[in-house]
Amino acid sequence: MCRNASYTTVERVIEVRELTKSYGRTVAVDGLSFQVKPGSVTGFLGPNGAGKSTTMRILLGLDAASSGEALINGGRYTGLRRPMYEVGALLDANAVHSGRSAFDHLRCLARSNRIGTRRVAEVLEQVGLAGVARKRVGGFSLGMKQRLGIAAALLGDPGVLMFDEPVNGLDPDGVRWIRELMRSLAAEGRTVLVSSHLMSEMELTADRLVIIGRGRLIADTSVRELADRFRRGVTVRSPRSADLTAALAAAGATVDTTPSGALSVQGLAVDEIGDLAAARGIPLYEVTPHSATLEEAYMELTSDSVDYRAEKSIAR
């Protein structure tokens, strides 16, 4: 049950405005601007060194911006009186005292924001760690530490949640659990920002995408809009392939025949192909649109922003 309902009235929760961060001559974030709104999971994507972690650290007051602003609920994180009630974050699952138990780790965090121990027990149950609550964190696997970090992020029942690579170390069941958790949190009206390198997982989890490279914004779009942008054409099957090919070509489409005998059509949408075939009385057995996977689209978008590129292996 949600106890902190303040996030439901906020239209624009995370906002980055012309953010720049330099380390000497190295520019980690370069005039970056984007917004993350409630009600959806936003994937924060980019190659290594793109500036994702730096941006999240600035949002959480862990680094200072060289210029620009990084705001949560219209203000800076450092200005929040009890930040865990407004923002929950997981940046580094290993940033815990190995000698403390899971319960004591969360209890210390809770006391700093006047959160009761009952809530500590609730989040440990929620993330599946109730059975090991009194065990020392030093004996935890990476996946268990990830769950503990997520429990810490949930302590204040915040409206804004930020996760940096949250599925690292999780087994398949854990990956599915965190995916469902993030989507359920967004469905409650919260703002969820997730940084990840796992494109296949983001394709299943995210509703929107903010993609950056070399500290600059490359794309701010929905997953569906990105798929439409990198559409690969339409597969069409018909018993009158020759007639359909001629009609499609006359309408300006590019048509190729696949090895299976189907037609691969570029330049016309599904409804346009259907209308054209219906007008000529040509039956259709299949009309299937094809889009690039998120990974393929991401690789195309960021191809000029990769700093560390390995040589392609050559089959022998």
Side-chain angles (χ1 to χ4, degrees):
M1 177 180 293
C2 298
R3 286 158 294 280
N4 180 7
S6 62
Y7 50 81
T8 61
T9 60
V10 179
E11 179 183 356
R12 200 174 292 165
V13 181
I14 295 176
E15 188 167 13
V16 173
R17 301 175 181 169
E18 294 296 325
L19 186 66
T20 297
K21 176 63 177 178
S22 299
Y23 298 95
R25 295 184 178 181
T26 300
V27 180
V29 182
D30 189 2
L32 182 63
S33 297
F34 65 87
Q35 298 173 358
V36 184
K37 298 181 180 180
S40 62
V41 177
T42 299
F44 193 27
L45 312 181
N48 289 333
K52 303 185 301 299
S53 294
T54 299
T55 300
M56 296 177 86
R57 287 180 61 83
I58 294 173
L59 278 163
L60 293 170
L62 299 173
D63 282 338
S66 300
S67 63
E69 293 182 303
L71 307 177
I72 298 174
N73 292 350
R76 294 184 179 181
Y77 181 89
T78 52
L80 300 177
R81 292 184 59 190
R82 290 195 288 176
M84 296 187 76
Y85 280 91
E86 295 194 48
V87 186
L90 168 61
L91 296 191
D92 182 0
N94 288 309
V96 292
H97 192 299
S98 61
R100 288 178 180 165
S101 70
F103 184 89
D104 285 341
H105 170 69
L106 294 181
R107 184 166 61 101
C108 289
L109 294 175
R111 289 182 66 182
S112 71
N113 278 244
R114 299 180 183 177
I115 299 170
T117 55
R118 181 176 180 179
R119 179 60 179 164
V120 172
E122 288 178 354
V123 295
L124 282 167
E125 182 72 34
Q126 185 175 0
V127 303
L129 293 180
V132 294
R134 299 295 178 176
K135 293 187 176 182
R136 292 185 178 183
V137 177
F140 281 14
S141 67
L142 177 57
M144 293 169 70
K145 290 179 181 177
Q146 291 281 25
R147 288 177 180 265
L148 182 60
I150 292 167
L154 297 174
L155 263 177
D157 196 25
V160 180
L161 290 145
M162 298 168 54
F163 301 114
D164 193 359
E165 301 289 352
V167 301
N168 278 354
L170 292 176
D171 58 20
D173 181 70
V175 171
R176 182 174 64 178
W177 167 75
I178 186 61
R179 180 197 311 148
E180 293 174 351
L181 173 66
M182 288 188 291
R183 294 194 65 83
S184 67
L185 291 169
E188 292 172 352
R190 306 176 200 247
T191 297
V192 182
L193 180 66
V194 186
S195 172
S196 180
H197 287 104
L198 298 179
M199 296 302 108
S200 58
E201 188 55 34
M202 283 293 93
E203 195 160 22
L204 295 172
T205 305
D207 305 293
R208 294 198 59 81
L209 301 170
V210 173
I211 304 175
I212 66 174
R214 293 181 177 155
R216 299 178 180 177
L217 183 68
I218 294 175
D220 183 352
T221 183
S222 71
V223 174
R224 177 172 294 182
E225 288 168 346
L226 188 64
D228 290 341
R229 178 176 171 183
F230 288 88
R231 189 169 296 283
R232 300 303 194 195
V234 182
T235 296
V236 182
R237 295 182 186 275
S238 171
R240 293 171 54 187
S241 294
D243 293 339
L244 183 58
T245 297
L248 291 169
T254 300
V255 185
D256 296 307
T257 303
T258 68
S260 66
L263 302 180
S264 178
V265 182
Q266 303 278 345
L268 290 179
V270 168
D271 54 350
E272 294 173 316
I273 294 171
D275 291 344
L276 184 149
R280 290 161 178 74
I282 300 174
L284 299 177
Y285 291 168
E286 178 187 356
V287 184
T288 304
H290 295 286
S291 299
T293 64
L294 177 56
E295 181 177 276
E296 291 169 336
Y298 168 83
M299 294 299 288
E300 287 193 40
L301 283 171
T302 61
S303 60
D304 294 331
S305 302
V306 177
D307 290 324
Y308 310 104
R309 193 188 304 275
E311 293 184 5
K312 292 183 178 179
S313 59
I314 300 175
R316 297 182 183 275

